[in-house]
Amino acid sequence: MGSKYFLVAALMLVALVHADQNQTGFLSIDCGASTSNYIDATTGFTYVSDEGFTENGVNRVIADAYKVQVNEQQFWNVRSFPEGRRNCYTLKPTLGKGTKYAVRARFMYGNYDNEGQPPTFDLYLGVDLWDTVITQYPWFRVEKEIIFFPTEDRIDVCLVNSGYGTPFISVLELRPWNTQSYNVNETGSVLVNFGRYDLNPAINQVSRYKEDVYDRLWSPFTTDIWTPINTTSGDNITKNIYQVPSPVMSNAYTPNATSKNLGLVFTPGNSTFKFYFYLHFAEIQLLQANESREFNIYVNDDLSQGPFVPSFLETTTIISRSDSVSSDGKIYIWLNQTKNSTLPPLLNAVEFYRITELSQLGTDQTDVNAILNIKSMYRVKRNWQGDPCLPEAYLWDGLNCSYNANNPPRIISLNLSSGGLEGLISSYIANLTMLQSLDLSNNNLTGTIPDFLAQLSFLRVINLKGNNLKGPVPAALLERSNNGLSLSVDDNVLGNQKLSPPTNETSSSPRYSCSKDFFVPLFASVGGIWLHFIL
């Protein structure tokens, strides 16, 4: 069986008990909405348009027949992405990268395109596959939530067309969470929510902010096979670091009268998945002197915790882990009454999380910052979204990168030929220190050729033809053209300067890089003929 462990979280944190109901660091985006912000009547959140968070896509409205079925305004619109294989939202958390966040993406198809074909597509967090979005029915709401520490000050959430319909999104939300809760032992791993349930809720609807200070969505779970119990003293239930809302902890289920055990069956869908289960308990019945409630907690056939006695009006969270499934592909969680107990077990709330490993090795951050500044300066009109180099299938148009398993990818080729560029040659190019090939030909660039190009030590090809540049060419750059650099500029830029003729190395023979980890296409101009090389 897989390894299991437990953590009992009953620590009271005064700062959390008196947690302020503010929205610091919260970001709520109504995707596809108009540019007008609005305050949600239920939560009090200010929802903003997604303009400025993504560059592509079109705003659409769901069909009236489905609009009347949902009272959350955020689902009335969607942003659809019929163009491009990958389209991304870029979030910049106000609290920075030192904070734990939950990112939640929500989807409701609502037959917005009148096609009646709910799509399936992939959802990425940065360079890593987060999950697959399957919208089975027009009225079906899909919610994806992931808890993690970002390593940079920006978070990219990307929708990828996998060939099964046009990706879309309804809502995108960012919520800062307590850094002491929902932790994972493995470095680089995160938690993907698989379900969060309020057992025996007083009202059969989703519970969230303001009852929940972290704005978790608690889905109601009701059944006739268990016995419901509740208390009117819910406001007196002491909270722990997980801050489960009082209305959620005020209700619970116990087994029916003929059983002493309470069981949950969970089907993960993939036998290789690993899970954390967060079980939230509070005794909400005042027991008599001759009564006791004590039980053991099993995951599949293994004892996870016990014997356990829930405390009266005090939340205790027990975390169990499963690294494997039973022989039938399911995970069983059993709360079994002990021999010394006069009462059966109870359960107030439960959460399921899949443990997912993130590579975290996106493109070198210096390169990312440089290429984003180049994009901004020149107002590049290409689908440059998400990570520039990863995943490799979605490499930015005009770039080539080096890939090494032990190091982040580096940008080694930049081709913005005929890109409508105007102004000076960007100084941000100097920060692409691994650049081997630079093609800025056939644009409207002005000014002189900067000295920093000669200091890019790996640069082997520069093409600046077809611009409005002025001479002279920096002496250091001319010197490098004598030592293997292929430099192409217009004659008027050279003036009386002499450009070294291309050698066999730079014009007619394939040139191989000393690194086996990448290749880059190089181009050199010889007498009006373009030669293509593969390193």
Side-chain angles (χ1 to χ4, degrees), residues 258-324:
T258 61
S259 176
K260 296 183 178 182
N261 304 323
L262 191 152
L264 300 172
V265 181
F266 180 63
T267 304
N270 187 318
S271 61
T272 65
F273 286 168
K274 301 176 182 180
F275 287 91
Y276 280 119
F277 305 98
Y278 291 74
L279 309 175
H280 304 289
F281 302 97
E283 179 59 75
I284 55 177
Q285 292 182 319
L286 182 60
L287 306 187
Q288 302 301 312
N290 61 344
E291 292 180 314
S292 63
R293 194 188 307 276
E294 181 185 81
F295 50 92
N296 292 316
I297 301 172
Y298 290 85
V299 176
N300 291 332
D301 296 326
D302 295 329
L303 179 66
S304 175
Q305 165 72 347
F308 169 67
V309 178
S311 301
F312 181 61
L313 297 184
E314 181 178 311
T315 301
T316 300
T317 297
I318 293 180
I319 305 173
S320 295
R321 172 168 172 160
S322 175
D323 286 355
S324 63

Side-chain angles (χ1 to χ4, degrees), residues 229-502:
I229 60 174
N230 56 69
T231 181
T232 58
S233 302
D235 291 341
N236 297 323
I237 297 177
T238 305
K239 297 178 181 178
N240 61 12
I241 60 173
Y242 291 94
Q243 291 284 287
V244 181
S246 297
V248 173
M249 296 304 298
S250 298
N251 308 282
Y253 275 120
T254 65
N256 60 37
T258 61
S259 176
K260 296 183 178 182
N261 304 323
L262 191 152
L264 300 172
V265 181
F266 180 63
T267 304
N270 187 318
S271 61
T272 65
F273 286 168
K274 301 176 182 180
F275 287 91
Y276 280 119
F277 305 98
Y278 291 74
L279 309 175
H280 304 289
F281 302 97
E283 179 59 75
I284 55 177
Q285 292 182 319
L286 182 60
L287 306 187
Q288 302 301 312
N290 61 344
E291 292 180 314
S292 63
R293 194 188 307 276
E294 181 185 81
F295 50 92
N296 292 316
I297 301 172
Y298 290 85
V299 176
N300 291 332
D301 296 326
D302 295 329
L303 179 66
S304 175
Q305 165 72 347
F308 169 67
V309 178
S311 301
F312 181 61
L313 297 184
E314 181 178 311
T315 301
T316 300
T317 297
I318 293 180
I319 305 173
S320 295
R321 172 168 172 160
S322 175
D323 286 355
S324 63
V325 298
S326 61
S327 59
D328 60 359
K330 299 179 181 179
I331 298 174
Y332 294 86
I333 302 174
W334 285 101
L335 312 182
N336 293 348
Q337 180 178 340
T338 66
K339 294 180 180 179
N340 298 325
S341 179
T342 65
L343 296 174
L346 60 71
L347 180 61
N348 306 70
V350 62
E351 300 176 79
F352 304 110
Y353 291 92
R354 174 166 57 89
I355 305 169
T356 300
E357 182 178 355
L358 298 185
S359 73
Q360 300 289 355
L361 287 177
T363 302
D364 178 83
Q365 195 57 41
T366 300
D367 285 6
V368 172
N369 293 338
I371 200 67
L372 287 176
N373 284 323
I374 292 168
K375 173 186 176 182
S376 176
M377 175 177 175
Y378 290 136
R379 300 179 182 178
V380 176
K381 302 299 183 182
R382 301 184 182 183
N383 190 16
W384 280 13
Q385 300 185 64
D387 188 274
C389 299
L390 290 173
E392 289 186 57
Y394 314 127
L395 174 71
W396 285 9
D397 180 33
L399 300 189
N400 272 313
C401 301
S402 65
Y403 299 96
N404 184 303
N406 299 318
N407 297 293
R410 302 300 303 270
I411 296 173
I412 58 174
S413 175
L414 174 59
N415 185 344
L416 290 174
S417 177
S418 304
L421 311 187
E422 296 180 349
L424 304 177
I425 293 177
S426 173
S427 61
Y428 296 115
I429 294 173
N431 295 329
L432 297 174
T433 56
M434 297 298 292
L435 203 61
Q436 296 186 17
S437 176
L438 175 64
D439 189 347
L440 301 178
S441 62
N442 300 315
N443 286 293
N444 297 308
L445 297 175
T446 57
T448 58
I449 298 175
D451 292 328
F452 67 73
L453 291 179
Q455 294 165 28
L456 292 171
S457 58
F458 293 97
L459 202 55
R460 309 292 290 277
V461 173
I462 304 177
N463 186 1
L464 302 177
K465 277 183 170 291
N467 285 288
N468 298 311
L469 297 169
K470 297 184 297 184
V473 175
L477 205 55
L478 281 176
E479 177 64 25
R480 286 197 56 189
S481 74
N482 292 324
N483 295 283
L485 173 69
S486 175
L487 175 62
S488 299
V489 296
D490 293 318
D491 291 341
N492 68 297
V493 176
L494 279 174
N496 294 325
Q497 295 174 294
K498 298 297 183 181
L499 189 62
S500 297

Side-chain angles (χ1 to χ4, degrees), residues 502-523:
T503 65
N504 287 338
E505 181 187 6
T506 61
S507 66
S508 60
S509 301
R511 182 165 62 250
Y512 294 93
S513 167
C514 60
S515 170
K516 65 182 180 181
D517 295 319
F518 55 82
F519 73 91
V520 54
L522 299 184
F523 299 90

